[in-house]
Amino acid sequence: MAAIPTVRRRMLGLELRKLRCAAELTAEEASDRMGWHPTKMSRIEYGRTGLKPHDLARVLDIYGVVDVATKEALTELARHSRLRVWWAPYSDVVSRRYADYLAFEAEATSARSHQVTLVPGLLQTPDYARTVTRSLSPVSTPSQVDALVDVRLARQAATLSRSTPLELWAIVDESALRRAIGGPATMRRQLQHLLTVSEQPNITLQVLPFASGAHAGLLGSFVILEFPIPGDLDVVYVEEQTSNLFIERDDDLKTYSSTFDLLRAAAADVEPSRDLMHTIAKDLK
């Protein structure tokens, strides 16, 4: 189980890559000067491996970095990239691919989510989450299911209730709200929860109604995560049955961002979305 915030490693790597290029060194040349394997600097720059503060100091000397503020900022980043993560206590139930996503989400400043079949995990109630977990993990024991639900609730608290909460813009297909997961009572509580959390200033919730017909998101769900350093670190997350896909190419990011804008325009506005959720809840009775 990884216990390193992936995004902080990537932020450090991005800054080191800029400094190396400014020093007119290749990654292989920098590795050679450090006495490392030729590919180690590339692995560091792409966030695939961490860097200890004393090694960072040597690298900065090689790059000719003398600015004290830059050195202190990067040293702090390297130190924090090795801190224990909030989900470490759940390492026996959190898969590596789920941990990868949690690492990205923990460092993101905003998320744009399009969900076709399910309520977004950050907005699920315990009963709804438990039913979904049992359905997606039929071989899990009851205690494992409970632990995974605990992870989901801890994730909500760590992400939406932190000092600077994640800015979440969620577009949920009407089909996800009409599927009575857990039965009518569970689904009514879930809808009421959505109505409550949608009043929070950091959460924008829109429903994509059946009446919208064909739309730009017919191929499935996705989440766009954005980070403090804009552009270079943003990723799109697409979950599949047996794997997770993180998309980072600029052209692909622009495509998904444009798709989200089209979905936002096709979805009902915030207040009509709340009215539709009220109607769906009444229909479940």
Side-chain angles (χ1 to χ4, degrees), residues 73-231:
L74 293 178
T75 300
E76 189 71 6
L77 194 56
R79 185 178 295 112
H80 280 284
S81 73
R82 304 177 66 83
L83 292 178
R84 183 179 176 88
V85 293
W86 68 259
W87 60 92
Y90 305 99
S91 60
D92 56 335
V93 293
V94 174
S95 67
R96 176 56 188 266
R97 60 193 183 102
Y98 190 23
D100 286 342
Y101 178 76
L102 294 178
F104 279 108
E105 186 181 75
E107 300 294 335
T109 54
S110 68
R112 288 174 286 168
S113 172
H114 168 236
Q115 298 298 322
V116 178
T117 58
L118 293 170
V119 169
L122 287 173
L123 304 180
Q124 292 178 7
T125 63
D127 288 343
Y128 183 99
R130 183 168 287 102
T131 302
V132 170
T133 302
R134 281 199 300 260
S135 299
L136 295 178
S137 305
V139 298
S140 296
T141 65
S143 61
Q144 288 173 326
V145 170
D146 288 342
L148 287 170
V149 173
D150 288 343
V151 172
R152 179 141 300 182
L153 299 179
R155 171 189 164 203
Q156 293 173 3
T159 306
L160 298 177
S161 300
R162 64 197 188 195
S163 57
T164 304
L166 181 78
E167 294 286 336
L168 175 63
W169 193 313
I171 298 175
V172 184
D173 195 277
E174 183 177 347
S175 60
L177 303 182
R178 289 198 178 275
R179 186 179 300 277
I181 288 178
T186 293
M187 200 63 207
R188 282 198 301 272
R189 287 192 293 271
Q190 175 63 73
L191 286 162
Q192 184 56 55
H193 179 66
L194 291 177
L195 288 166
T196 299
V197 298
S198 66
E199 296 178 346
Q200 296 180 13
N202 61 306
I203 297 176
T204 300
L205 179 59
Q206 290 180 269
V207 178
L208 192 61
F210 291 145
S212 294
H215 55 77
L218 289 174
L219 290 180
S221 304
F222 61 87
V223 180
I224 304 172
L225 295 172
E226 299 170 298
F227 301 94
I229 299 178

Side-chain angles (χ1 to χ4, degrees), residues 13-25:
L14 174 65
E15 295 305 313
L16 289 177
R17 186 161 67 250
K18 292 178 180 177
L19 292 171
R20 175 179 57 76
C21 291
E24 298 184 345
L25 292 172

